[in-house]
Amino acid sequence: MRAVRAQRGCGRRVRGRAAATGARTRCDPPVRVRAARAAHVRDDDVYLCDDDGLPAELGRLGGTGTALLADPALREIVLPILRNDYRLAERYRPTQGIRLRCPVTAMIGNVDPEVTGTEARRREEVTGAPFDLRVLPGDHFYLTPQRDAVVAEVVRRLVPAPAARTLGPSTP
């Protein structure tokens, strides 16, 4: 969605559909404390967690790779990447006044502790075109076990269905 907003901000026409997965919009209140997270960690401050806090956050969200972070060599490589990913997501603020003109599909996991259906539905506010929400089985990392369903949904939304052909009268 950021790329589509950037294109619109430059006056370019955007064709196709924007897809959003597993994240709240920045229309939501910026500071909310989750009950399962330490009280001093705000939703927009995860990137500031120490080197034990980031893996703990991944575990809270249902991440399966947290055991790999027990290896000090891998931890040294992976934690800066994770921290920068969180920083990018948490510090992004959309340009005000730019509404998308393309349809938007949001996809979330049905037991994602990070985003609710109500929060995901707020993405409808960013477009003047049709919006739909697809809820798939899984947690915040539903994309991994639901890969085939996600790809099928994206393809279904992007590739128009073939037009029905009418056949002329049959000839013997």
Side-chain angles (χ1 to χ4, degrees), residues 24 34 36-38 41-47 49-64 66 69 79 82 86 90 112-114 140-141:
R24 293 182 325 277
R34 302 280 183 181
R37 188 182 292 156
V41 179
R42 302 180 328 177
D43 280 349
D44 58 351
D45 283 346
V46 174
Y47 79 97
C49 287
D50 63 21
D51 287 355
D52 292 325
L54 278 174
E57 176 66 4
L58 290 178
R60 185 186 73 80
L61 294 174
T64 56
T66 54
L69 295 175
L79 285 182
L82 289 173
Y86 270 103
E90 293 170 352
D112 186 339
E114 190 68 8
H140 189 71
F141 296 101

mmCIF file of all heavy atoms in Angstrom, residues 24 34 36-38 41-47 49-64 66 69 79 82 86 90 112-114 140-141:
data_model
loop_
_atom_site.group_PDB
_atom_site.id
_atom_site.type_symbol
_atom_site.label_atom_id
_atom_site.label_comp_id
_atom_site.label_asym_id
_atom_site.label_seq_id
_atom_site.Cartn_x
_atom_site.Cartn_y
_atom_site.Cartn_z
ATOM 1 N N ARG A 24 -1.893 -3.260 11.420
ATOM 2 C CA ARG A 24 -2.878 -2.210 11.643
ATOM 3 C C ARG A 24 -2.533 -1.039 10.737
ATOM 4 O O ARG A 24 -1.420 -0.882 10.307
ATOM 5 C CB ARG A 24 -2.851 -1.745 13.101
ATOM 6 C CG ARG A 24 -3.319 -2.777 14.071
ATOM 7 C CD ARG A 24 -3.311 -2.221 15.480
ATOM 8 N NE ARG A 24 -2.222 -1.299 15.731
ATOM 9 C CZ ARG A 24 -0.991 -1.663 16.051
ATOM 10 N NH1 ARG A 24 -0.685 -2.927 16.149
ATOM 11 N NH2 ARG A 24 -0.058 -0.767 16.282
ATOM 12 N N ARG A 34 -0.395 -3.941 24.676
ATOM 13 C CA ARG A 34 -1.013 -5.265 24.665
ATOM 14 C C ARG A 34 -0.809 -5.917 26.026
ATOM 15 O O ARG A 34 0.262 -5.813 26.612
ATOM 16 C CB ARG A 34 -0.386 -6.142 23.582
ATOM 17 C CG ARG A 34 -0.498 -5.564 22.194
ATOM 18 C CD ARG A 34 -1.853 -5.810 21.641
ATOM 19 N NE ARG A 34 -1.872 -5.293 20.284
ATOM 20 C CZ ARG A 34 -2.931 -5.328 19.519
ATOM 21 N NH1 ARG A 34 -4.036 -5.838 19.957
ATOM 22 N NH2 ARG A 34 -2.895 -4.837 18.307
ATOM 23 N N ALA A 36 -0.332 -8.980 26.823
ATOM 24 C CA ALA A 36 0.677 -10.039 26.875
ATOM 25 C C ALA A 36 2.096 -9.505 26.751
ATOM 26 O O ALA A 36 3.052 -10.248 26.877
ATOM 27 C CB ALA A 36 0.416 -11.047 25.761
ATOM 28 N N ARG A 37 2.257 -8.232 26.485
ATOM 29 C CA ARG A 37 3.576 -7.640 26.297
ATOM 30 C C ARG A 37 3.945 -6.833 27.531
ATOM 31 O O ARG A 37 3.086 -6.346 28.238
ATOM 32 C CB ARG A 37 3.528 -6.728 25.071
ATOM 33 C CG ARG A 37 4.877 -6.205 24.656
ATOM 34 C CD ARG A 37 4.786 -5.267 23.483
ATOM 35 N NE ARG A 37 4.395 -5.989 22.301
ATOM 36 C CZ ARG A 37 3.796 -5.420 21.265
ATOM 37 N NH1 ARG A 37 3.528 -4.151 21.269
ATOM 38 N NH2 ARG A 37 3.470 -6.125 20.223
ATOM 39 N N ALA A 38 5.210 -6.702 27.777
ATOM 40 C CA ALA A 38 5.643 -5.901 28.921
ATOM 41 C C ALA A 38 5.017 -4.511 28.834
ATOM 42 O O ALA A 38 4.919 -3.924 27.755
ATOM 43 C CB ALA A 38 7.163 -5.795 28.939
ATOM 44 N N VAL A 41 6.540 -1.593 26.746
ATOM 45 C CA VAL A 41 6.737 -1.697 25.298
ATOM 46 C C VAL A 41 5.444 -1.315 24.593
ATOM 47 O O VAL A 41 4.438 -1.995 24.707
ATOM 48 C CB VAL A 41 7.164 -3.129 24.887
ATOM 49 C CG1 VAL A 41 7.328 -3.220 23.381
ATOM 50 C CG2 VAL A 41 8.451 -3.515 25.585
ATOM 51 N N ARG A 42 5.470 -0.228 23.870
ATOM 52 C CA ARG A 42 4.310 0.220 23.109
ATOM 53 C C ARG A 42 4.347 -0.438 21.744
ATOM 54 O O ARG A 42 5.380 -0.896 21.284
ATOM 55 C CB ARG A 42 4.338 1.735 22.950
ATOM 56 C CG ARG A 42 4.363 2.459 24.276
ATOM 57 C CD ARG A 42 4.386 3.956 24.128
ATOM 58 N NE ARG A 42 5.080 4.425 22.956
ATOM 59 C CZ ARG A 42 5.159 5.699 22.610
ATOM 60 N NH1 ARG A 42 4.583 6.605 23.329
ATOM 61 N NH2 ARG A 42 5.820 6.072 21.549
ATOM 62 N N ASP A 43 3.186 -0.471 21.064
ATOM 63 C CA ASP A 43 3.116 -1.090 19.744
ATOM 64 C C ASP A 43 4.077 -0.454 18.753
ATOM 65 O O ASP A 43 4.510 -1.095 17.819
ATOM 66 C CB ASP A 43 1.695 -0.987 19.177
ATOM 67 C CG ASP A 43 0.790 -2.051 19.750
ATOM 68 O OD1 ASP A 43 1.294 -2.975 20.414
ATOM 69 O OD2 ASP A 43 -0.424 -1.970 19.527
ATOM 70 N N ASP A 44 4.388 0.799 18.934
ATOM 71 C CA ASP A 44 5.272 1.449 17.976
ATOM 72 C C ASP A 44 6.704 1.563 18.497
ATOM 73 O O ASP A 44 7.497 2.326 17.973
ATOM 74 C CB ASP A 44 4.730 2.816 17.562
ATOM 75 C CG ASP A 44 4.522 3.765 18.728
ATOM 76 O OD1 ASP A 44 4.633 3.330 19.888
ATOM 77 O OD2 ASP A 44 4.253 4.945 18.475
ATOM 78 N N ASP A 45 7.041 0.775 19.508
ATOM 79 C CA ASP A 45 8.393 0.792 20.060
ATOM 80 C C ASP A 45 9.065 -0.575 20.093
ATOM 81 O O ASP A 45 10.078 -0.748 20.765
ATOM 82 C CB ASP A 45 8.369 1.329 21.501
ATOM 83 C CG ASP A 45 8.230 2.838 21.558
ATOM 84 O OD1 ASP A 45 8.419 3.492 20.515
ATOM 85 O OD2 ASP A 45 7.935 3.353 22.641
ATOM 86 N N VAL A 46 8.542 -1.554 19.400
ATOM 87 C CA VAL A 46 9.128 -2.896 19.438
ATOM 88 C C VAL A 46 10.565 -2.853 18.934
ATOM 89 O O VAL A 46 11.434 -3.541 19.460
ATOM 90 C CB VAL A 46 8.276 -3.905 18.628
ATOM 91 C CG1 VAL A 46 8.964 -5.261 18.548
ATOM 92 C CG2 VAL A 46 6.895 -4.030 19.243
ATOM 93 N N TYR A 47 10.840 -2.031 17.946
ATOM 94 C CA TYR A 47 12.199 -1.972 17.407
ATOM 95 C C TYR A 47 13.219 -1.509 18.448
ATOM 96 O O TYR A 47 14.423 -1.722 18.288
ATOM 97 C CB TYR A 47 12.265 -1.107 16.141
ATOM 98 C CG TYR A 47 12.278 0.380 16.381
ATOM 99 C CD1 TYR A 47 13.484 1.079 16.390
ATOM 100 C CD2 TYR A 47 11.104 1.091 16.560
ATOM 101 C CE1 TYR A 47 13.510 2.448 16.584
ATOM 102 C CE2 TYR A 47 11.126 2.452 16.751
ATOM 103 C CZ TYR A 47 12.325 3.126 16.764
ATOM 104 O OH TYR A 47 12.351 4.484 16.962
ATOM 105 N N CYS A 49 13.261 -2.702 21.500
ATOM 106 C CA CYS A 49 13.472 -3.806 22.448
ATOM 107 C C CYS A 49 14.933 -4.238 22.440
ATOM 108 O O CYS A 49 15.627 -4.126 21.424
ATOM 109 C CB CYS A 49 12.614 -5.005 22.077
ATOM 110 S SG CYS A 49 10.868 -4.805 22.428
ATOM 111 N N ASP A 50 15.370 -4.795 23.556
ATOM 112 C CA ASP A 50 16.732 -5.324 23.618
ATOM 113 C C ASP A 50 16.794 -6.654 22.853
ATOM 114 O O ASP A 50 15.795 -7.105 22.294
ATOM 115 C CB ASP A 50 17.207 -5.467 25.065
ATOM 116 C CG ASP A 50 16.387 -6.458 25.873
ATOM 117 O OD1 ASP A 50 15.715 -7.337 25.287
ATOM 118 O OD2 ASP A 50 16.417 -6.352 27.115
ATOM 119 N N ASP A 51 17.963 -7.256 22.839
ATOM 120 C CA ASP A 51 18.165 -8.459 22.037
ATOM 121 C C ASP A 51 17.428 -9.682 22.567
ATOM 122 O O ASP A 51 17.383 -10.707 21.889
ATOM 123 C CB ASP A 51 19.662 -8.764 21.912
ATOM 124 C CG ASP A 51 20.370 -7.786 20.986
ATOM 125 O OD1 ASP A 51 19.682 -6.944 20.368
ATOM 126 O OD2 ASP A 51 21.603 -7.863 20.874
ATOM 127 N N ASP A 52 16.864 -9.601 23.746
ATOM 128 C CA ASP A 52 15.997 -10.670 24.235
ATOM 129 C C ASP A 52 14.534 -10.344 23.971
ATOM 130 O O ASP A 52 13.708 -11.241 23.806
ATOM 131 C CB ASP A 52 16.215 -10.891 25.735
ATOM 132 C CG ASP A 52 17.586 -11.461 26.037
ATOM 133 O OD1 ASP A 52 18.093 -12.267 25.225
ATOM 134 O OD2 ASP A 52 18.162 -11.087 27.076
ATOM 135 N N GLY A 53 14.215 -9.061 23.910
ATOM 136 C CA GLY A 53 12.834 -8.629 23.694
ATOM 137 C C GLY A 53 12.318 -8.905 22.295
ATOM 138 O O GLY A 53 11.144 -9.266 22.130
ATOM 139 N N LEU A 54 13.173 -8.736 21.280
ATOM 140 C CA LEU A 54 12.719 -8.999 19.903
ATOM 141 C C LEU A 54 12.329 -10.456 19.699
ATOM 142 O O LEU A 54 11.235 -10.730 19.183
ATOM 143 C CB LEU A 54 13.788 -8.580 18.894
ATOM 144 C CG LEU A 54 13.812 -7.098 18.544
ATOM 145 C CD1 LEU A 54 15.007 -6.788 17.641
ATOM 146 C CD2 LEU A 54 12.538 -6.663 17.886
ATOM 147 N N PRO A 55 13.166 -11.425 20.078
ATOM 148 C CA PRO A 55 12.734 -12.825 19.937
ATOM 149 C C PRO A 55 11.484 -13.137 20.760
ATOM 150 O O PRO A 55 10.626 -13.906 20.331
ATOM 151 C CB PRO A 55 13.934 -13.630 20.439
ATOM 152 C CG PRO A 55 15.097 -12.733 20.242
ATOM 153 C CD PRO A 55 14.570 -11.349 20.481
ATOM 154 N N ALA A 56 11.351 -12.511 21.935
ATOM 155 C CA ALA A 56 10.159 -12.722 22.756
ATOM 156 C C ALA A 56 8.915 -12.221 22.017
ATOM 157 O O ALA A 56 7.858 -12.855 22.060
ATOM 158 C CB ALA A 56 10.311 -12.014 24.101
ATOM 159 N N GLU A 57 9.039 -11.091 21.338
ATOM 160 C CA GLU A 57 7.915 -10.543 20.567
ATOM 161 C C GLU A 57 7.554 -11.484 19.423
ATOM 162 O O GLU A 57 6.382 -11.733 19.160
ATOM 163 C CB GLU A 57 8.258 -9.155 20.035
ATOM 164 C CG GLU A 57 7.204 -8.544 19.147
ATOM 165 C CD GLU A 57 5.891 -8.229 19.854
ATOM 166 O OE1 GLU A 57 5.780 -8.396 21.077
ATOM 167 O OE2 GLU A 57 4.940 -7.816 19.164
ATOM 168 N N LEU A 58 8.540 -12.020 18.741
ATOM 169 C CA LEU A 58 8.256 -12.979 17.666
ATOM 170 C C LEU A 58 7.523 -14.198 18.214
ATOM 171 O O LEU A 58 6.596 -14.705 17.591
ATOM 172 C CB LEU A 58 9.548 -13.421 16.980
ATOM 173 C CG LEU A 58 10.245 -12.368 16.136
ATOM 174 C CD1 LEU A 58 11.538 -12.943 15.569
ATOM 175 C CD2 LEU A 58 9.354 -11.885 15.016
ATOM 176 N N GLY A 59 7.957 -14.674 19.375
ATOM 177 C CA GLY A 59 7.286 -15.807 20.002
ATOM 178 C C GLY A 59 5.848 -15.487 20.363
ATOM 179 O O GLY A 59 4.943 -16.304 20.176
ATOM 180 N N ARG A 60 5.595 -14.286 20.867
ATOM 181 C CA ARG A 60 4.237 -13.863 21.218
ATOM 182 C C ARG A 60 3.323 -13.871 20.003
ATOM 183 O O ARG A 60 2.158 -14.224 20.078
ATOM 184 C CB ARG A 60 4.266 -12.457 21.835
ATOM 185 C CG ARG A 60 2.904 -11.980 22.338
ATOM 186 C CD ARG A 60 2.966 -10.530 22.788
ATOM 187 N NE ARG A 60 3.061 -9.610 21.675
ATOM 188 C CZ ARG A 60 2.037 -9.215 20.917
ATOM 189 N NH1 ARG A 60 0.829 -9.669 21.142
ATOM 190 N NH2 ARG A 60 2.215 -8.360 19.935
ATOM 191 N N LEU A 61 3.885 -13.518 18.850
ATOM 192 C CA LEU A 61 3.095 -13.458 17.624
ATOM 193 C C LEU A 61 2.922 -14.821 16.964
ATOM 194 O O LEU A 61 2.198 -14.949 15.991
ATOM 195 C CB LEU A 61 3.744 -12.490 16.632
ATOM 196 C CG LEU A 61 3.761 -11.028 17.058
ATOM 197 C CD1 LEU A 61 4.558 -10.195 16.072
ATOM 198 C CD2 LEU A 61 2.349 -10.497 17.206
ATOM 199 N N GLY A 62 3.620 -15.838 17.466
ATOM 200 C CA GLY A 62 3.498 -17.170 16.882
ATOM 201 C C GLY A 62 4.615 -17.508 15.917
ATOM 202 O O GLY A 62 4.511 -18.471 15.168
ATOM 203 N N GLY A 63 5.691 -16.729 15.904
ATOM 204 C CA GLY A 63 6.817 -16.995 15.011
ATOM 205 C C GLY A 63 7.474 -18.327 15.336
ATOM 206 O O GLY A 63 7.632 -18.681 16.497
ATOM 207 N N THR A 64 7.838 -19.054 14.308
ATOM 208 C CA THR A 64 8.403 -20.384 14.520
ATOM 209 C C THR A 64 9.916 -20.397 14.502
ATOM 210 O O THR A 64 10.523 -21.379 14.877
ATOM 211 C CB THR A 64 7.902 -21.349 13.432
ATOM 212 O OG1 THR A 64 8.244 -20.803 12.157
ATOM 213 C CG2 THR A 64 6.405 -21.543 13.523
ATOM 214 N N THR A 66 12.029 -18.652 16.281
ATOM 215 C CA THR A 66 12.672 -18.087 17.465
ATOM 216 C C THR A 66 13.761 -18.989 18.026
ATOM 217 O O THR A 66 14.717 -18.503 18.623
ATOM 218 C CB THR A 66 11.636 -17.771 18.565
ATOM 219 O OG1 THR A 66 10.885 -18.957 18.834
ATOM 220 C CG2 THR A 66 10.701 -16.667 18.132
ATOM 221 N N LEU A 69 17.231 -18.181 16.946
ATOM 222 C CA LEU A 69 17.861 -17.007 17.541
ATOM 223 C C LEU A 69 18.633 -17.335 18.821
ATOM 224 O O LEU A 69 19.256 -16.458 19.405
ATOM 225 C CB LEU A 69 16.821 -15.920 17.795
ATOM 226 C CG LEU A 69 16.199 -15.353 16.513
ATOM 227 C CD1 LEU A 69 15.099 -14.372 16.837
ATOM 228 C CD2 LEU A 69 17.245 -14.707 15.627
ATOM 229 N N LEU A 79 19.016 -10.313 14.169
ATOM 230 C CA LEU A 79 18.382 -9.271 14.991
ATOM 231 C C LEU A 79 18.421 -7.878 14.373
ATOM 232 O O LEU A 79 17.412 -7.163 14.423
ATOM 233 C CB LEU A 79 18.968 -9.256 16.405
ATOM 234 C CG LEU A 79 18.504 -10.400 17.310
ATOM 235 C CD1 LEU A 79 19.114 -10.267 18.699
ATOM 236 C CD2 LEU A 79 16.997 -10.485 17.387
ATOM 237 N N LEU A 82 15.614 -7.841 11.802
ATOM 238 C CA LEU A 82 14.301 -7.780 12.450
ATOM 239 C C LEU A 82 14.033 -6.394 13.023
ATOM 240 O O LEU A 82 12.942 -5.841 12.868
ATOM 241 C CB LEU A 82 14.216 -8.813 13.578
ATOM 242 C CG LEU A 82 14.143 -10.268 13.162
ATOM 243 C CD1 LEU A 82 14.244 -11.175 14.377
ATOM 244 C CD2 LEU A 82 12.855 -10.529 12.402
ATOM 245 N N TYR A 86 10.954 -3.882 11.988
ATOM 246 C CA TYR A 86 10.026 -3.259 12.932
ATOM 247 C C TYR A 86 10.109 -1.735 12.860
ATOM 248 O O TYR A 86 9.086 -1.046 12.887
ATOM 249 C CB TYR A 86 10.308 -3.722 14.371
ATOM 250 C CG TYR A 86 9.539 -4.961 14.749
ATOM 251 C CD1 TYR A 86 10.160 -6.195 14.780
ATOM 252 C CD2 TYR A 86 8.197 -4.888 15.085
ATOM 253 C CE1 TYR A 86 9.454 -7.333 15.139
ATOM 254 C CE2 TYR A 86 7.483 -6.015 15.447
ATOM 255 C CZ TYR A 86 8.120 -7.237 15.468
ATOM 256 O OH TYR A 86 7.420 -8.360 15.816
ATOM 257 N N GLU A 90 6.935 0.511 12.130
ATOM 258 C CA GLU A 90 6.429 1.316 13.236
ATOM 259 C C GLU A 90 6.574 2.817 13.026
ATOM 260 O O GLU A 90 5.815 3.596 13.607
ATOM 261 C CB GLU A 90 7.137 0.903 14.526
ATOM 262 C CG GLU A 90 6.775 -0.507 14.950
ATOM 263 C CD GLU A 90 7.621 -1.051 16.077
ATOM 264 O OE1 GLU A 90 8.616 -0.405 16.470
ATOM 265 O OE2 GLU A 90 7.294 -2.124 16.566
ATOM 266 N N ASP A 112 -4.683 -13.737 15.005
ATOM 267 C CA ASP A 112 -3.531 -12.837 15.068
ATOM 268 C C ASP A 112 -3.659 -11.963 16.309
ATOM 269 O O ASP A 112 -4.642 -11.226 16.444
ATOM 270 C CB ASP A 112 -3.485 -11.964 13.811
ATOM 271 C CG ASP A 112 -2.247 -11.092 13.705
ATOM 272 O OD1 ASP A 112 -1.599 -10.843 14.742
ATOM 273 O OD2 ASP A 112 -1.938 -10.655 12.593
ATOM 274 N N PRO A 113 -2.689 -12.023 17.226
ATOM 275 C CA PRO A 113 -2.786 -11.190 18.417
ATOM 276 C C PRO A 113 -2.458 -9.718 18.152
ATOM 277 O O PRO A 113 -2.649 -8.874 19.009
ATOM 278 C CB PRO A 113 -1.743 -11.803 19.359
ATOM 279 C CG PRO A 113 -0.725 -12.394 18.451
ATOM 280 C CD PRO A 113 -1.502 -12.878 17.249
ATOM 281 N N GLU A 114 -2.003 -9.420 16.948
ATOM 282 C CA GLU A 114 -1.540 -8.069 16.639
ATOM 283 C C GLU A 114 -2.585 -7.221 15.927
ATOM 284 O O GLU A 114 -2.557 -6.004 16.003
ATOM 285 C CB GLU A 114 -0.278 -8.170 15.765
ATOM 286 C CG GLU A 114 0.437 -6.884 15.557
ATOM 287 C CD GLU A 114 1.097 -6.332 16.820
ATOM 288 O OE1 GLU A 114 1.138 -7.011 17.857
ATOM 289 O OE2 GLU A 114 1.573 -5.190 16.754
ATOM 290 N N HIS A 140 -0.347 -14.370 13.464
ATOM 291 C CA HIS A 140 0.278 -13.266 12.737
ATOM 292 C C HIS A 140 1.106 -13.752 11.546
ATOM 293 O O HIS A 140 1.248 -13.056 10.556
ATOM 294 C CB HIS A 140 1.155 -12.461 13.704
ATOM 295 C CG HIS A 140 1.667 -11.196 13.128
ATOM 296 N ND1 HIS A 140 0.858 -10.106 12.890
ATOM 297 C CD2 HIS A 140 2.905 -10.825 12.735
ATOM 298 C CE1 HIS A 140 1.576 -9.122 12.376
ATOM 299 N NE2 HIS A 140 2.825 -9.528 12.272
ATOM 300 N N PHE A 141 1.618 -14.968 11.650
ATOM 301 C CA PHE A 141 2.428 -15.538 10.572
ATOM 302 C C PHE A 141 1.623 -16.533 9.741
ATOM 303 O O PHE A 141 2.161 -17.519 9.261
ATOM 304 C CB PHE A 141 3.682 -16.186 11.160
ATOM 305 C CG PHE A 141 4.580 -15.186 11.832
ATOM 306 C CD1 PHE A 141 4.587 -15.055 13.213
ATOM 307 C CD2 PHE A 141 5.392 -14.352 11.088
ATOM 308 C CE1 PHE A 141 5.399 -14.117 13.838
ATOM 309 C CE2 PHE A 141 6.205 -13.403 11.699
ATOM 310 C CZ PHE A 141 6.205 -13.296 13.083
#
